[in-house]
Amino acid sequence: MMMSRAVLAGEPLHVSVSPEPEVVYSYERQRCDWRTIPDSPARAYRRQDGSVALIAAHFRNRVLQGSSFDDLRTDCSIVFQGEESADPAALNDRFWVQSLIPLEDGRVLGLASQEFSGLRHDGLCAKGPGRPECWYLSLVALEANERDFSFKLLPRERRLVAGSNKRFDTNTKAAGFLTLSNTVFDDEHAYFIAWTEDAAEPAGRGNCLFRAPRSDLVTGWRMMNAGRFVPPPNPYPVDGQQPVQATCDRLGNGDMTGKVRSLVRLESRNLWMVVWSTRVDDTSGVYYATSPDLRNWSPAALLAPFDPPWGTTEKKAYYDYPSIIDHDSPSPVFQTAGSTFYLYLTRFNWQTKRPTMNRDLVRFKVTVN
């Protein structure tokens, strides 16, 4: 049993993680085709009839679903996929749905990481050593019904949640918002945390806090800047909109060194908790931090020493895309966690040949003592 400890306001938080995982999805046994992979943190959704849907999104997105978490099966239908548009202003290249928000009448709002890669579109970016990566990123909104999760992008004037401070050009290496956590609710607002790749900004790359009123979960998103919430960047305005440039506060005072993948309310301690994967000195793994208010965060602490799949050439199993899900949470999007919950991870099976598409979705039981 693995143990870790963090301290917030002088109170120790002791966490233990089971030594062996449960396999939720096996690439070898359950894949629909060679691209059926968990490529994002797992997000769970409880339908009104009590059944469960789970998404660990790939750009060709499929859903696991069942009557419970112990009965999840892969649906081989591709329920959402971008059009791979060569126009960066269309915001419709490839996208990964990474946040699920319940709306009225069984509808679901999805917030997705949209990736425009100039290298995939002829004539935009030259390939070769030393050339720009042409990686242009944004957060976009989609909608589906909870029956089949067939997401559709919202109309262009309502699609963009947050973009880069500059328009795409062929010298862009990486710009915009790459990924986001799940969305949680507190009082009259919803929140998520997103990672910006805009390293040219003074604060560099890092995690940013977003907020929207419950009454406007599509166009009401703002990001925290100097402690207040301001409109996020919009480099491609449409239909009378104005371009917006803005920067956001980086969370964690330099201690939150990886992309926050999951955000939950730890009910047993009345704290918010986030997790991410990173390499810190000689200790790599899944780290976590806690906060009373989503703004001020404890020092990072190691949750489990699971190596992420970068920074090494050793052939073995690696883990990434951590996500916290408490199967007993009363929330339809599982935003709360009790004294026991599960840490979901993508396991990269690179023991003999690296890299391959062989990835499993697994979960470890976590206990807060």
Side-chain angles (χ1 to χ4, degrees):
M1 178 112 16
M2 295 168 283
M3 303 289 295
S4 62
R5 171 177 170 172
V7 177
L8 185 67
E11 183 180 0
L13 183 67
H14 298 271
V15 179
S16 58
V17 183
S18 62
E20 297 296 330
E22 301 174 19
V23 177
V24 181
Y25 163 78
S26 167
Y27 182 84
E28 291 291 345
R29 299 193 306 271
Q30 295 172 272
R31 69 179 183 268
C32 304
D33 57 38
W34 67 279
R35 278 181 164 169
T36 313
I37 58 172
D39 199 38
S40 288
R43 304 290 186 233
Y45 190 97
R46 185 184 290 114
R47 296 185 178 98
Q48 296 176 72
D49 65 6
S51 63
V52 174
L54 188 141
I55 296 172
H58 182 243
F59 70 85
R60 292 183 176 175
N61 295 270
R62 294 180 168 97
V63 178
L64 280 73
Q65 51 190 334
S67 60
S68 70
F69 283 95
D70 294 325
D71 186 40
L72 293 174
R73 298 290 184 271
T74 305
D75 184 339
C76 286
S77 303
I78 298 176
V79 294
F80 41 100
Q81 181 175 345
E83 293 183 358
E84 302 194 8
S85 169
D87 177 8
L91 306 173
N92 191 5
D93 191 351
R94 291 179 177 176
F95 56 83
W96 289 249
V97 174
Q98 296 179 337
S99 187
L100 304 173
I101 303 173
L103 301 175
E104 296 178 348
D105 304 321
R107 294 176 298 124
V108 181
L109 179 69
L111 302 182
S113 173
Q114 194 266 164
E115 174 192 279
F116 179 84
S117 174
L119 295 177
R120 285 200 301 269
H121 302 293
D122 291 342
L124 283 182
C125 299
K127 299 181 181 180
R131 298 298 303 174
E133 294 180 15
C134 286
W135 209 28
Y136 194 66
L137 309 155
S138 58
L139 306 180
V140 297
L142 311 90
E143 189 174 305
N145 65 70
E146 67 169 26
R147 295 187 304 278
D148 59 15
F149 285 90
S150 295
F151 280 100
K152 304 295 182 185
L153 280 166
L154 292 185
R156 179 61 185 82
E157 68 274 10
R158 302 173 67 227
R159 181 175 304 171
L160 180 65
V161 176
S164 173
N165 275 314
K166 57 184 179 181
R167 294 191 173 199
F168 173 82
D169 65 56
T170 57
N171 293 316
T172 298
K173 182 175 183 180
F177 286 92
L178 169 61
T179 189
L180 73 155
S181 74
N182 55 301
T183 299
V184 298
F185 293 87
D186 185 26
D187 297 326
E188 298 303 315
H189 292 92
Y191 296 86
F192 67 78
I193 295 173
W195 176 270
T196 178
E197 282 287 327
D198 284 331
E201 294 180 6
R205 302 158 71 230
N207 294 290
C208 305
L209 181 64
F210 283 73
R211 185 181 79 176
R214 287 176 181 260
S215 59
D216 189 2
L217 295 171
V218 177
T219 61
W221 292 104
R222 303 291 183 264
M223 65 184 190
M224 191 169 71
N225 174 286
R228 60 191 182 93
F229 287 89
V230 303
N234 181 355
Y236 291 106
V238 295
D239 293 346
Q241 298 173 348
Q242 296 298 315
V244 177
Q245 290 191 336
T247 59
C248 53
D249 298 339
R250 307 307 197 252
L251 302 179
N253 297 316
D255 201 41
M256 205 176 285
T257 57
K259 304 172 185 69
V260 165
R261 301 294 192 174
S262 184
L263 168 63
V264 296
R265 183 70 175 174
L266 191 59
E267 298 285 82
S268 61
R269 294 302 179 97
N270 200 29
L271 294 169
W272 296 103
M273 182 177 182
V274 293
V275 290
W276 67 92
S277 294
T278 194
R279 291 186 178 275
V280 179
D281 299 324
D282 295 329
T283 306
S284 61
V286 177
Y287 280 75
Y288 71 101
T290 56
S291 170
D293 57 9
L294 294 172
R295 295 161 176 80
N296 302 289
W297 291 89
S298 71
L302 182 67
L303 179 65
F306 299 135
D307 283 345
W310 66 82
T312 179
T313 58
E314 185 179 355
K315 297 175 181 178
K316 64 175 188 177
Y318 294 91
Y319 297 86
D320 201 0
Y321 308 128
S323 179
I324 293 174
I325 301 176
D326 183 344
H327 297 177
D328 295 324
S329 172
S331 163
V333 290
F334 300 87
Q335 75 164 45
T336 61
S339 58
T340 60
F341 52 83
Y342 283 94
L343 174 66
Y344 280 69
L345 290 156
T346 294
R347 181 173 63 192
F348 297 72
N349 299 308
W350 292 347
Q351 294 97 329
T352 58
K353 184 180 179 181
R354 182 180 187 275
T356 71
M357 296 291 281
N358 190 334
R359 305 181 189 182
D360 301 330
L361 181 64
V362 300
R363 63 192 180 207
F364 292 83
K365 190 171 184 178
V366 179
T367 303
V368 180
N369 300 308

